[in-house]
Amino acid sequence: MTFGEKLAKAVAAHGPLCVGIDPHPSLLDAWGLSRTAEGLERFALTAVEAFGGKVAMVKPQAAFFEAYGSRGVAVLERVISELRDTGTLVLVDAKRGDIGSTMAAYAEAYLGDGSPLAGDAVTLSPFLGFGSLQPALDTARATGRGVFVLALTSNPEGAEVQRAVAPDGRTVAQTIIDFAAARNSGISPCGDVGLVVGATIGETDVDLAGFNGPILAPGFGAQGGSVADLKRLFGPDMRNVLPTSSRDVLRHGPDVSSLVSAVQRVQEGL
């Protein structure tokens, strides 16, 4: 199956919600866990128990695992493996971006068959030029995985680059969207190159009408993004939009049933 087919099947079964696993130190504290690899593992595997098989996609934030060194990365590998065993798609939020052989190595790590860090998709940064992502795009296509490319992020500093105007009159964000749209052209039900567009960015000022791919919309929930914001940004037809909630769900832990109930409430509101 292509990534688009896998995603369509998952959304049909569970709805479009993507839930993040962000083991932020403050959340470890709130759950009564130590800021250690052991606390990280307890947190992450509790989230896996709560979310696995109940949502379309789960997004572990790699940085919070990497902060604990090799033991933290080992926990991330286990999270990826156990979520995939439940049939839940895994988007590894690593935001990798580089050139040449280094980008090829990142592609193999996060998208290659047999890699313990490979989920079903990975987030990428295109700001060394969209063409620099080619090794990852090719590996994703070859292995039936996907990528989500940063386009319009919700941090205020992002506008300095993303809304800058290129010589051809398009914004950098629009250029990224157009490259991604071309890569996805003609693929059904949707392409394997997704975009990241923050739910709290205000106005997009870009044309998404011809984009045939999934759109990850972080910032939904605790960061202020609402269903009304999603409809305003993406229009009434949101079949390829994946609202993402992390803290708004995770704050209900560590009780598994409370986490499950929090997910269900968000799903019912979409």
Side-chain angles (χ1 to χ4, degrees):
M1 296 175 69
T2 67
F3 176 71
E5 290 169 335
K6 295 174 188 176
L7 184 60
K9 182 179 179 181
V11 170
H14 301 292
L17 179 66
C18 173
V19 180
I21 299 181
D22 294 8
H24 192 283
S26 64
L27 280 171
L28 292 179
D29 294 344
W31 283 28
L33 299 172
S34 62
R35 298 186 181 188
T36 63
E38 290 78 14
L40 169 77
E41 183 173 42
R42 179 74 176 274
F43 182 100
L45 295 184
T46 299
V48 169
E49 182 181 354
F51 308 148
K54 300 179 183 69
V55 296
M57 189 159 65
V58 171
K59 181 177 71 65
Q61 169 50 258
F64 290 117
F65 294 85
E66 293 168 0
Y68 294 89
S70 61
R71 294 181 68 187
V73 174
V75 174
L76 176 59
E77 292 175 358
R78 185 174 174 187
V79 165
I80 294 168
S81 175
E82 293 195 9
L83 281 170
R84 297 193 79 199
D85 285 345
T86 70
T88 295
L89 297 179
V90 183
L91 168 58
V92 182
D93 193 359
K95 297 183 179 69
R96 294 302 191 253
D98 215 304
I99 60 172
S101 59
T102 308
M103 189 68 246
Y106 280 139
E108 189 59 33
Y110 291 99
L111 297 163
D113 286 335
S115 170
L117 285 171
D120 297 282
V122 67
T123 55
L124 300 176
S125 174
F127 299 114
L128 290 175
F130 195 90
S132 67
L133 304 180
Q134 198 65 46
L137 302 180
D138 291 343
T139 303
R141 182 70 51 87
T143 61
R145 293 181 167 87
V147 302
F148 285 81
V149 180
L150 302 178
L152 277 171
T153 58
S154 55
N155 62 306
E157 304 88 351
E160 299 171 5
V161 174
Q162 296 157 19
R163 296 184 187 273
V165 178
D168 63 4
R170 293 180 295 170
T171 63
V172 171
Q174 187 66 60
T175 301
I176 292 166
I177 292 165
D178 292 346
F179 275 122
R183 179 78 180 182
N184 291 336
S185 179
I187 300 177
S188 180
C190 72
D192 51 18
V193 181
L195 299 173
V196 180
V197 179
T200 58
I201 61 170
E203 298 302 323
T204 62
D205 298 323
V206 293
D207 180 12
L208 291 164
F211 182 67
N212 177 36
I215 299 175
L216 190 74
F220 180 78
Q223 293 174 264
S226 65
V227 173
D229 290 322
L230 297 174
K231 290 181 177 178
R232 177 176 50 79
L233 289 171
F234 305 113
D237 184 5
M238 299 195 302
R239 66 184 184 279
N240 289 335
V241 177
L242 304 167
T244 302
S245 183
S246 299
R247 284 178 291 169
D248 203 40
V249 170
L250 293 169
R251 65 186 175 88
H252 294 278
D255 181 68
V256 171
S257 62
S258 296
L259 289 167
V260 172
S261 295
V263 166
Q264 291 172 340
R265 284 194 296 272
V266 177
Q267 288 172 323
E268 290 167 1
L270 292 175

